Amino acid sequence: MTEKQVFSEEERFELLIQGVLDAGYGFCDQFLDEEVIAGLRANILRHHKAGEMYTAGVGRKFDFQRNATIRGDVIRWIENDTIDLFEQAWILKVRTFIAYLNQTCYTSINDFEFHYAYYEQGSFYKRHLDQFKSNQGRKFSFVMYLNDDWKDTDGGNIVLYLNAEKEESLFPHGGRVVFFKSDKLEHEVKPSNSRYRLSIAGWLKSV
Ligand code: OGA
Ligand code: MN
């Protein structure tokens, strides 16, 4: 067995927050227990199989389009008052993170929204910014991956465009979280040519 470095909850939160402060993005692994990740993965696969996921939009209200040339995932929103136990564990962890963030960074995050996202093999999300021009409520983007045994050779990386010279890639290993400011960081989801790609993606908001 390979040794995995074990971080406490606070250390993981610090990796996310310090990463944003120092580099413009933060990430950590094992954000939740394996068992919760597996439960969330089973949820998304069940919803997908039952045809309970929807083509994601681009933009909002009047500029809302369903444009598969820009993004190819299908999504399903998670209710913040869900009765599903795995989703409750996820929401509780998000709330704990938000409390920590507000306390340590004087942010005033008071709302959040998350959806499951299923990218079929070969589908992608072109370079974009998450914040709508007409609505500044989305302060931070927060993505957690749900993939089982992802290999870097599977592709499906998120590319973070840090500045004109610098970009970073992260692969969507199950339990990994990526965190960044929604109005600042352009990013892109590359296709996997070998398998589907699962995540929960969403936003911490100030409304
Ligand atoms: C998004 C997004 C990134 C990812 O849903 O807006 O950029 O890695 N997701 O899934
Ligand atoms: Mn995005």
Side-chain angles (χ1 to χ4, degrees):
M1 216 182 100
T2 53
E3 287 276 326
K4 266 190 191 164
Q5 196 170 0
V6 181
F7 292 106
S8 68
E9 178 179 86
E10 184 172 335
E11 285 169 327
R12 289 194 186 91
F13 290 177
E14 280 295 326
L15 283 170
L16 297 177
I17 294 168
Q18 273 306 323
V20 169
L21 297 174
D22 297 343
Y25 75 101
F27 79 98
C28 73
D29 290 318
Q30 297 155 274
F31 187 71
L32 284 171
D33 293 341
E34 280 306 333
E35 162 191 321
V36 179
I37 302 293
L40 293 168
R41 180 190 309 129
N43 282 351
I44 187 174
L45 291 175
R46 191 181 65 248
H47 288 309
H48 187 260
K49 201 167 174 184
E52 295 165 350
M53 298 189 75
Y54 314 96
T55 312
V58 177
R60 74 197 305 263
K61 290 190 180 160
F62 298 111
D63 56 339
F64 186 91
Q65 306 165 40
R66 288 182 180 161
N67 194 336
T69 64
I70 298 175
R71 68 184 289 188
D73 56 336
V74 287
I75 68 164
R76 181 185 175 87
W77 292 97
I78 296 176
E79 302 297 332
N80 293 353
D81 61 352
T82 175
I83 58 163
D84 179 89
L85 294 179
F86 299 112
E87 293 177 355
Q88 284 180 353
W90 153 252
I91 299 278
L92 177 63
K93 195 71 147 181
V94 166
R95 288 189 189 282
T96 309
F97 177 70
I98 290 173
Y100 188 87
L101 179 70
N102 282 340
Q103 244 168 52
T104 56
C105 298
Y106 307 103
T107 45
S108 44
I109 301 303
N110 56 10
D111 198 10
F112 55 87
E113 55 187 5
F114 285 98
H115 61 63
Y116 291 110
Y118 182 113
Y119 289 77
E120 209 68 74
Q121 180 178 330
S123 68
F124 51 79
Y125 194 160
K126 289 272 170 69
R127 182 170 174 163
H128 67 281
L129 206 56
D130 281 345
Q131 195 181 81
F132 302 124
K133 286 191 185 70
S134 53
N135 175 341
Q136 267 108 57
R138 291 178 171 184
K139 299 300 179 200
F140 294 96
S141 301
F142 196 108
V143 184
M144 182 176 75
Y145 302 108
L146 300 177
N147 302 298
D148 189 22
D149 196 28
W150 195 270
K151 306 278 191 298
D152 291 358
T153 49
D154 288 321
N157 45 310
I158 181 172
V159 184
L160 303 161
Y161 295 96
L162 301 175
N163 58 48
E165 292 92 51
K166 194 154 184 232
E167 56 187 66
E168 293 282 357
S169 266
L170 290 168
F171 290 92
H173 298 290
R176 173 170 285 178
V177 164
V178 184
F179 179 60
F180 53 89
K181 281 191 165 171
S182 304
D183 63 338
K184 289 268 155 55
L185 191 62
E186 290 189 17
H187 56 282
E188 169 171 9
V189 178
K190 295 288 191 184
S192 167
N193 294 316
S194 50
R195 53 188 294 194
Y196 57 74
R197 177 188 192 275
L198 309 176
S199 62
I200 292 177
W203 297 277
L204 308 190
K205 306 200 299 184
S206 186
V207 295

